[in-house]
Amino acid sequence: MRRMRTPAMTMNTTMPTAMIITTTTIIMIMVTITMTTTAVTSIITTAIPMLMTKNEPSPDARSAMTQPEQAALYRLLTWLSPSFPVGGFCYSSGIEWAVEAGDISDAASLEHWLAAMLADGSGFCDGVLLAQSHRAVEAGDNRALRELAELAAALVPSRERQLETSTQGRAFIEIARAAWNCDGLDHAISHCEGAIVYPVAVGIVSAAHAIPLAQSLHAFLHVLASNWTSAGTRLIPLGQTDSQRVLAALEPVVAATGQRALSATLDGLGSATFRADLASLRHETQYTRLFRS
């Protein structure tokens, strides 16, 4: 007798198969989810250090100058360069007479002469005057600035040196007011009566532009050394390589003179370069001359 399969029996037969298929499907889905999660975790783990690396400043960025530092350097390089029209190439500060007299005859004697002028002569005195004028403008001490300008003009040892420093000072002030004016510059200049000599002019303008004193002083002493070396190069004459050797040898002298001038007071003003002062006096009656001092 043939048995008939009821719906219940059919259901009982197919249910295990369906359950196995469903269970397998669920396991595959779970494996897929697990693999996806692992992949996402791997991507996140890889990406986070990359993002952190990109956000960190590079060594070059950390060592970059700030905007005020950039402005200070740009202005000092402009104001104290040969292209700034103060006429520094016209003056030798007595070097022309020293060459004619035989005191300066080669690179070594030029270096010795200029080192003395920087450390013990007009270079040091000009550095002190620049530092004191810079501080007077920063402090808003108009009386001290006026008295300092008068003292600086009175200390110049000869007529031609007076012409040299006052002419360059006036040109520096005029060009600064015309092309590089700033708040407080005209006010500071208005309190100076009479001639404003070159170092005082540089001190006033650099302080008005909020350029640090140490940088201004070092740049000014460098331009003195450069102008004097250039004059000696043309007068002896020297080759360009020898003139650069002289300028390189003066680097520590400029640095040391700047440090002394920063810490000195007006009581420390004085010169021991009598021969250089005499040279500026003798140059006034020198028969053949290329320079104005």
Side-chain angles (χ1 to χ4, degrees), residues 12 27 45 54 124 137 166-167 191 214 236 257 279 285-286:
N12 290 336
I27 291 172
T45 305
K54 288 184 178 297
F124 170 72
V137 173
S166 61
T167 301
H191 289 87
I236 296 173
T257 303
T285 57
Q286 188 170 335

Side-chain angles (χ1 to χ4, degrees), residues 17 41 110 165 207 235 239 264-265 271 281:
T17 303
T41 304
L110 176 64
T165 189
L235 289 165
T265 64
S271 171
L281 291 167

Side-chain angles (χ1 to χ4, degrees), residues 124-163:
F124 170 72
C125 293
D126 284 355
V128 175
L129 294 171
L130 188 154
Q132 295 299 320
S133 61
H134 190 287
R135 290 174 178 141
V137 173
E138 279 189 323
D141 193 340
N142 299 321
R143 178 179 177 182
L145 180 61
R146 181 176 62 255
E147 293 176 351
L148 180 67
E150 293 174 355
L151 175 65
L155 288 176
V156 183
S158 68
R159 181 179 62 84
E160 287 190 347
R161 283 284 290 121
Q162 174 73 30
L163 173 69

Side-chain angles (χ1 to χ4, degrees), residues 1-6 9:
M1 186 173 177
R2 188 176 178 182
R3 297 179 61 183
M4 297 180 64
R5 299 178 65 91
T6 64
M9 294 175 62

Side-chain angles (χ1 to χ4, degrees), residues 83-293:
S83 63
F84 202 71
V86 295
F89 62 91
C90 298
Y91 305 98
S92 77
S93 300
I95 294 173
E96 185 169 18
W97 184 87
V99 171
E100 182 172 304
D103 294 65
I104 300 174
S105 58
D106 54 18
S109 55
L110 176 64
E111 177 192 333
H112 179 74
W113 184 278
L114 299 187
M117 287 182 67
L118 282 167
D120 302 309
S122 59
F124 170 72
C125 293
D126 284 355
V128 175
L129 294 171
L130 188 154
Q132 295 299 320
S133 61
H134 190 287
R135 290 174 178 141
V137 173
E138 279 189 323
D141 193 340
N142 299 321
R143 178 179 177 182
L145 180 61
R146 181 176 62 255
E147 293 176 351
L148 180 67
E150 293 174 355
L151 175 65
L155 288 176
V156 183
S158 68
R159 181 179 62 84
E160 287 190 347
R161 283 284 290 121
Q162 174 73 30
L163 173 69
E164 174 183 342
T165 189
S166 61
T167 301
Q168 290 187 89
R170 182 174 63 251
F172 192 88
I173 289 291
E174 290 176 353
I175 299 163
R177 296 176 74 176
W180 298 87
N181 211 334
C182 66
D183 293 338
L185 179 57
D186 290 335
H187 178 73
I189 295 171
S190 66
H191 289 87
C192 298
E193 300 174 357
I196 301 177
V197 298
Y198 192 28
V200 174
V202 175
I204 292 173
V205 174
S206 59
H209 281 263
I211 298 177
L213 171 56
Q215 296 177 20
S216 304
L217 178 57
H218 194 85
F220 176 79
L221 292 175
H222 172 265
V223 78
L224 285 186
S226 297
N227 286 342
W228 291 342
T229 302
S230 176
T233 299
R234 286 175 280 170
L235 289 165
I236 296 173
L238 293 178
Q240 294 300 322
T241 302
D242 279 340
S243 68
Q244 287 302 308
R245 289 193 182 106
V246 171
L247 198 56
L250 294 174
E251 180 182 346
V253 182
V254 167
T257 303
Q259 289 298 321
R260 287 174 52 223
L262 281 174
S263 59
T265 64
L266 292 177
D267 293 334
L269 282 171
S271 171
T273 53
F274 301 111
R275 186 71 172 172
D277 292 339
L278 287 173
S280 67
L281 291 167
R282 295 287 182 85
H283 187 270
E284 296 177 6
T285 57
Q286 188 170 335
Y287 181 73
T288 303
R289 299 186 299 175
L290 296 177
F291 294 85
R292 300 183 70 185
S293 71

